[in-house]
Amino acid sequence: MNTIQKNLYQLLCEIDELCKSQDIQYFLAGGTALGVVRNHRFLPWDDDMDLYITRDNWAKLRDAVESGKVELPPNRELVYAENTPYYSNPIPRYVDTSTTAIYSSQMLPGRACGQHVEFLIMDPMPNEEQEKAEFLKNLRMYTELISPYFVVNKSLSIEDFREHAKEYKKLYAVAEKESLNAVLKDLDAKLHSCVESESKEMCMRWGIQTLIYQHADFGKSRPELFEGRMFPVGEHAEGILRDAYGDSWMYVPEVEDQVVHNALQDIEIPYEEYTKRYQPYVDKEKMLQSYRKNKNNSLSVFCLRREREKLAVEAQALIIRDTIKNELEEKLDDIRDNYNAKAYGAVRNIYRDYTQNQMNQYARKYNVYYNISDECMYYILMTAIQQGRYFEAQKYLNIRKQNEPLSEKLLEVQELIDYCRDLSIAIYDYDDVDRIKELLREAKSEWKELLDYGRAELWLNDRLAESELDWQQQKTRAEKWNQIYPEDGEVMAYLAESELKLGEKEKAEDLYNRAIHLTRNGIIWEKAKESVGLERIEEEYDLRK
């Protein structure tokens, strides 16, 4: 842990003790839960901490503090919209006032500006689709109205945002005539009208991104080791992580994809030493009105900006779309030859212009479509699948489905992607031996040479092996798959484990060391640590120094 993480960990320990004393249930959330489930520690780059808590449990915590039933430690505050003027945030914070972590959106209230742990409040959702749509509409309006500093719901489509902005201005006019608190209170009542025990899904009250989870995934919580101490995660935390981070949740992102937060951080100086330098000179009410006026103006021009941005992306696509398509058609023989030779890196190089443009964030944001032939699409999909990246293939296929019906050949690829995903869920989310047995039996003959099939077969026999003969057979099996996929760290890790079980510790250490540098699968990294003491995650920490 770095110094920021050590302080956050201390705050978590305090919250844990407080919640235990009042029979309050919470769960580790976000990147905190991700680090715990993968490697039982902080993500190396993590500089904040999130907890899930249901609306009812949050009310118990808030009431216990407000009533004096529990006393917070020195230099601690529980900050939320109802007890802090100008704190325009639906997410409460447990704050260390002896430190500093100032975000631009919290400069005006000047209170929740120390190192903090955030409580992500979960509300039960209606089960009926029409009522669910109304719930999400109210949620978006609540989060938009409560925040004067920036446009919250930017991820909506242009058409949906136009309706959202119209409704916002209508409700804001009511708020100006009556009061903003009255409007927010009315929306809050609508959002908290479902009975938790009857709801199948829970929604996090955030707004920037609509995060919906299966209620059953939280359950009664389960303890997980986190930096040497047990803390609660959802009963089916892996399912929560899959909902939040996608099918590749078990993989540690490359450094350039690791998200850090932009805040003024100081672990040694109280935030008041900073805020007192500007707070006395700020007319907060006047500044708040300026923020709201600016936001109203931003809402008015937001769609125009988005439409202009969309036109620019479409214009670029119009210029290069046919060139990309024709170049791929001309190289189709090379694509086939490289694919059949398992030279998947070479195939990816041929597709580079296509992938960079089709998967560009703006092309995806505005559904700008780069049409290529079914055969060209087939090879980019199968290349991803052959490399154990079915989730990447699914992204390409989703774009295709949004723009045209899938051919019979591509429907077969979709079936294969679904199969690979089922394998992943059975292994990582449920540790389900019987389900993997069933899926391996169901596999079509042409699927049995795929990397994900091999990984599943090795996973199953790793779970079932007991005798020396079992491990010798597992070693033979792993050697076969390692010959087919010599650069796959996950396959190599199974070979390493079989060598270890057969008493070949030196070979196992060498294989594990190679394996953890061929994969970014955090579960494999943790297995190498448990089996032979190799700390791959430490290298990620070193990169942050």
Side-chain angles (χ1 to χ4, degrees), residues 278-489:
Y278 69 85
Q279 285 274 326
Y281 308 103
V282 174
D283 184 333
K284 292 189 177 182
E285 198 57 39
K286 184 177 180 180
M287 183 170 282
L288 181 64
Q289 293 309 313
S290 295
Y291 274 125
R292 292 204 178 280
K293 183 178 179 181
N294 182 63
K295 176 161 180 172
N296 276 328
N297 292 336
S298 296
L299 284 163
S300 298
V301 300
F302 185 75
C303 284
L304 292 174
R305 289 174 180 163
R306 290 275 301 275
E307 285 167 350
R308 189 182 305 131
E309 188 177 67
K310 181 181 179 182
L311 285 172
V313 177
E314 288 176 335
Q316 181 186 8
L318 194 63
I319 295 168
I320 63 176
R321 182 186 284 126
D322 287 343
T323 301
I324 289 173
K325 181 178 181 179
N326 292 336
E327 285 180 351
L328 286 176
E329 289 297 326
E330 290 170 5
K331 296 176 180 177
L332 198 48
D333 287 341
D334 288 341
I335 291 170
R336 283 195 209 96
D337 291 344
N338 281 300
Y339 178 82
N340 291 330
K342 300 187 186 301
Y344 302 124
V347 176
R348 283 185 175 276
N349 283 336
I350 295 173
Y351 279 91
R352 183 174 297 166
D353 284 346
Y354 167 73
T355 57
Q356 285 180 347
N357 284 281
Q358 182 62 87
M359 303 311 287
N360 175 285
Q361 62 170 319
Y362 296 106
R364 295 178 67 184
K365 182 177 180 178
Y366 297 115
N367 191 27
V368 173
Y369 180 44
Y370 287 79
N371 181 28
I372 59 177
S373 70
D374 276 3
E375 191 165 11
C376 286
M377 176 61 71
Y378 173 82
Y379 283 113
I380 187 61
L381 296 175
M382 289 305 299
T383 294
I385 293 169
Q386 291 284 6
Q387 293 184 302
R389 302 179 64 82
Y390 73 88
F391 40 84
E392 183 181 296
Q394 185 66 74
K395 291 176 183 177
Y396 289 109
L397 210 50
N398 285 343
I399 294 169
R400 186 77 161 203
K401 286 191 286 188
Q402 288 172 5
N403 290 278
E404 60 178 283
L406 297 185
S407 65
E408 187 173 335
K409 189 171 188 176
L410 295 184
L411 284 170
E412 290 175 0
V413 177
Q414 180 65 74
E415 184 184 8
L416 175 54
I417 291 171
D418 292 340
Y419 177 77
C420 293
R421 186 172 192 267
D422 286 343
L423 289 172
S424 175
I425 291 171
I427 291 171
Y428 291 105
D429 297 16
Y430 291 100
D431 197 31
D432 191 338
V433 167
D434 290 337
R435 178 61 176 149
I436 288 296
K437 287 180 180 178
E438 180 184 358
L439 286 167
L440 293 179
R441 284 196 301 268
E442 291 174 355
K444 295 180 179 180
S445 58
E446 62 268 26
W447 295 354
K448 293 183 179 181
E449 292 296 317
L450 289 174
L451 177 55
D452 278 318
Y453 181 94
R455 288 172 175 173
E457 185 181 70
L458 292 169
W459 177 89
L460 176 64
N461 286 282
D462 182 272
R463 286 291 187 277
L464 297 177
E466 294 179 351
S467 67
E468 184 175 344
L469 178 60
D470 291 338
W471 284 109
Q472 188 60 56
Q473 291 173 340
Q474 173 72 338
K475 176 184 173 181
T476 301
R477 195 178 292 112
E479 286 174 335
K480 181 198 83 170
W481 283 106
N482 190 52
Q483 284 182 343
I484 300 171
Y485 295 98
E487 299 300 313
D488 186 68

Side-chain angles (χ1 to χ4, degrees), residues 26-40:
Y26 75 93
F27 310 89
L28 300 184
T32 309
L34 191 59
V36 170
V37 172
R38 280 200 306 228
N39 301 106
H40 303 295

Side-chain angles (χ1 to χ4, degrees), residues 4 16 67 81 105 109 126 161 176 178 185 220 281 334 353 370 374 387 435 450 456 490 502 519 526:
I4 288 175
D16 187 60
S67 67
S105 62
F161 189 88
E176 284 190 311
E178 300 174 12
K185 189 174 181 180
K220 295 181 179 180
Y281 308 103
D334 288 341
D353 284 346
Y370 287 79
D374 276 3
Q387 293 184 302
R435 178 61 176 149
L450 289 174
E490 295 175 45
L502 292 169
T519 182
E526 188 63 19

Side-chain angles (χ1 to χ4, degrees), residues 169-181:
K169 292 193 173 186
K170 186 169 78 174
L171 278 180
Y172 188 72
V174 174
E176 284 190 311
K177 190 179 294 184
E178 300 174 12
S179 77
L180 179 59
N181 284 339

